[in-house]
Amino acid sequence: MGQILKVLKGTKDILPQDINMWQFVEEKANKVFSSFGVKEIRTPIIEVTELFSRGVGDTTDIVNKEMYTFEKSERSITLRPENTAGVVRSYIENGMHRLPAPVKLWYHGPMFRYERPQAGRQRQFHQVGVEMFGIKQPAADAEIILMATDFLKSVGLNDLEVEINSLGCPKCRADFKEKLKAVIKPYLNNLCEDCQNRYEKNPLRLLDCKVPECQAIYAKKEIQEVIMSDFLCDECREHYKELKLYLDNLGIKYNENKLLVRGLDYYTRTVFEIKSNNLGSQNAVCGGGRYDNLVEQLGGEPTPAIGFAMGMERLISLLPQKESKKLDGYIVSNDSQEAFKLAQELRAHGLNIEFDLANKKFTKQLEKASKVANYALILGEDEIKSNQVSVKNLATGEQKAINREDCKNIEV
Ligand code: HAM
């Protein structure tokens, strides 16, 4: 006997008994996003590595530590760690800037990050997300956040916390970064290794550090004063103010969190996350924000854009389990030729039907029916002769003979 092979660490099978939750979430996504005029896009899971080093940013953990990268025919290829960069590539490559703005796209599918697996964190996980191109006004930010909260409501999650922040534009952010670096400099040697690396390359990410010693340093008065200061330029401040006004008028509750900086480099102005207290340390269900420079950075026309992505495993873990659906009918018969015929007639009417393929005894077939179906459709010799079917409701035990052609109307 060969050795049993196991699923890779950090990856999971999604088994038939759980698939209805996934289908439920995917159907809701299609319904809610379509109601906002968003069209689905499916891009490849593999892309050239450069897309992510240039798109997500080569100072990020994702690009530095977490990508699954391999060579094929002398090209460096990467399993997508996220899908914003891929959607932007496709937007540019397919000339979507020629379409009337906004271009709104949604997607769902697997992403890959070589992270330390833990509750809520896998190496292959799934995201459902939306990207909107071509609108610089804050109404787009409001619509994106509304879409995320409406979708979460549609699956039954009403009480999640929305956090927002503005990271400003490269201009005003540059001043902020310098000020931040200046107040942190005296403590540089006491910071963790990651923070020491981030200090030069990406000082905003310092605020995101989870190491208690670093957090204690960043809690110091002089550093907090810089963090809490309003560094936004007039345009960025106005954009942020208008977004908040929209959210207030839409009745979307939010907290402002100055420490919300996000782990990807492409963001400008608005960033947001939606969190749940029921998720433990990996508590973000949704992350998103504006990325007004990314399309140009990846070779396209300058195009403002904003979007979000949600972790589907985290989302589904917050939902109550749904019973998997039973078959509409299970045909109980010793005549498999007739059973095939009846099954096909009923399947053609949209019913989900199975029958015994292994010549099992009648009683065994009935037992099976009661486990897997709502109705047993009994097709014995008498029924075949009289062109009838005895329909047994397996919930109530009630049974009656009906004409074969009425079988398609069994209540389901
Ligand atoms: P992100 O914050 O890296 O953003 O990921 C979004 C969501 O994906 C997270 O909030 C989390 O729910 C889920 N997620 C991330 N990593 C894992 C993991 N290892 N295991 C399980 N779930 C995970 C992005 O990916 C951006 N592309 C979002 C975006 C779209 N921004 C603008 N448009």
Side-chain angles (χ1 to χ4, degrees):
M1 262 220 307
Q3 198 191 350
I4 295 174
L5 303 175
K6 295 208 168 139
V7 75
L8 279 171
K9 193 171 158 194
T11 71
K12 274 188 186 154
D13 296 315
I14 301 170
L15 296 169
Q17 62 264 32
D18 301 321
I19 205 74
N20 56 344
M21 297 300 292
W22 288 79
Q23 289 170 344
F24 166 72
V25 167
E26 287 158 14
E27 277 160 25
K28 288 288 184 197
N30 191 5
K31 199 157 169 249
V32 173
F33 300 148
S34 297
S35 78
F36 284 83
V38 186
K39 297 271 189 331
E40 187 180 349
I41 185 167
R42 300 189 185 187
T43 58
I45 285 168
I46 48 173
E47 297 273 3
V48 295
T49 302
E50 196 188 340
L51 176 65
F52 303 112
S53 46
R54 273 171 57 192
V56 175
D58 50 17
T59 68
T60 60
D61 284 351
I62 294 181
V63 169
N64 279 325
K65 303 184 191 163
E66 297 170 3
M67 295 208 299
Y68 283 89
T69 297
F70 56 96
E71 301 275 324
K72 236 4 178 200
S73 306
E74 292 173 22
R75 292 216 80 164
S76 179
I77 291 171
T78 291
L79 298 182
R80 62 183 185 194
E82 60 100 56
N83 208 25
T84 306
V87 172
V88 169
R89 180 207 41 74
S90 180
Y91 174 89
I92 298 168
E93 193 173 345
N94 293 294
M96 287 189 232
H97 64 279
R98 288 192 291 272
L99 299 173
V103 173
K104 300 176 182 176
L105 304 167
W106 78 275
Y107 52 83
H108 67 95
M111 310 292 155
F112 304 84
R113 296 183 194 177
Y114 190 73
E115 296 189 84
R116 194 171 53 78
Q118 61 182 90
R121 200 202 268 161
Q122 292 175 203
R123 289 179 173 170
Q124 176 176 337
F125 61 99
H126 297 76
Q127 286 184 341
V128 53
V130 176
E131 313 293 345
M132 187 198 297
F133 297 90
I135 307 288
K136 64 175 193 297
Q137 284 81 356
D141 309 42
E143 188 170 78
I144 277 287
I145 295 175
L146 177 64
M147 239 186 258
T149 52
D150 266 7
F151 166 62
L152 290 169
K153 266 190 216 153
S154 80
V155 299
L157 299 173
N158 299 304
D159 53 351
L160 304 184
E161 278 178 25
V162 180
E163 286 191 349
I164 62 170
N165 191 19
S166 176
L167 301 179
C169 58
K171 237 174 52 220
C172 55
R173 198 190 312 170
D175 286 348
F176 177 67
K177 279 186 191 167
E178 286 316 312
K179 283 194 187 123
L180 197 60
K181 279 169 70 181
V183 279
I184 289 176
K185 195 167 184 187
Y187 306 98
L188 197 51
N189 291 334
N190 305 327
L191 299 180
C192 73
E193 205 185 314
D194 275 345
C195 279
Q196 297 204 8
N197 288 332
R198 287 176 189 141
Y199 179 82
E200 280 303 334
K201 289 194 206 146
N202 197 354
L204 273 194
R205 291 285 291 159
L206 296 172
L207 308 183
D208 217 18
C209 183
K210 302 284 180 296
V211 174
E213 289 77 14
C214 297
Q215 286 187 343
I217 292 172
Y218 305 143
K220 288 184 187 296
K221 192 161 163 269
E222 73 270 24
I223 300 182
Q224 278 297 308
E225 268 170 17
V226 174
I227 294 172
M228 292 302 155
S229 66
D230 178 7
F231 67 87
L232 300 179
C233 62
D234 289 348
E235 288 93 358
C236 289
R237 187 177 308 115
E238 191 54 32
H239 186 99
Y240 190 44
K241 201 173 114 195
E242 278 184 47
L243 166 63
K244 288 186 278 184
L245 192 62
Y246 278 119
L247 296 180
D248 291 338
N249 289 335
L250 288 164
I252 298 175
K253 292 205 182 70
Y254 56 86
N255 296 320
E256 290 181 68
N257 178 2
K258 289 257 191 191
L259 299 181
L260 184 66
V261 291
R262 309 271 303 123
L264 305 97
D265 277 355
Y266 46 62
Y267 292 114
T268 51
R269 294 191 169 167
T270 309
V271 287
F272 66 98
E273 281 189 348
I274 305 180
K275 296 182 175 170
S276 164
N277 293 328
N278 298 328
L279 277 177
S281 65
Q282 301 301 316
N283 63 353
V285 179
C286 174
R290 189 167 265 288
Y291 49 95
D292 287 344
N293 301 323
L294 184 60
V295 178
E296 190 179 7
Q297 216 171 296
L298 290 174
E301 301 284 321
T303 309
I306 179 162
F308 65 80
M310 300 189 187
M312 294 175 80
E313 283 80 3
R314 293 188 195 174
L315 175 60
I316 287 170
S317 75
L318 292 171
L319 302 178
Q321 274 292 322
K322 275 197 186 337
E323 288 271 309
S324 35
K325 253 172 81 180
K326 286 192 164 177
L327 290 171
D328 300 316
Y330 190 88
I331 301 170
V332 175
S333 179
N334 287 331
D335 186 334
S336 50
Q337 300 289 356
E338 283 299 324
F340 260 117
K341 263 200 242 157
L342 179 61
Q344 285 302 86
E345 282 164 29
L346 298 177
R347 287 169 183 156
H349 282 98
L351 297 181
N352 297 343
I353 305 289
E354 266 201 306
F355 64 92
D356 169 54
L357 299 170
N359 295 326
K360 291 232 175 72
K361 290 214 177 76
F362 222 77
T363 46
K364 287 275 175 223
Q365 292 187 31
L366 259 178
E367 255 172 48
K368 167 94 188 250
S370 63
K371 284 191 193 128
V372 300
N374 293 319
Y375 291 91
L377 307 174
I378 301 164
L379 199 57
E381 272 174 41
D382 291 348
E383 282 92 354
I384 294 172
K385 269 190 221 138
S386 58
N387 208 25
Q388 287 195 315
V389 178
S390 293
V391 176
K392 182 173 185 183
N393 180 327
L394 293 164
T396 62
E398 199 185 326
Q399 182 173 328
K400 60 178 183 220
I402 62 171
N403 286 334
R404 185 167 166 143
E405 57 270 22
D406 295 332
C407 227
K408 61 178 188 287
N409 301 323
I410 50 173
E411 265 174 55
V412 286

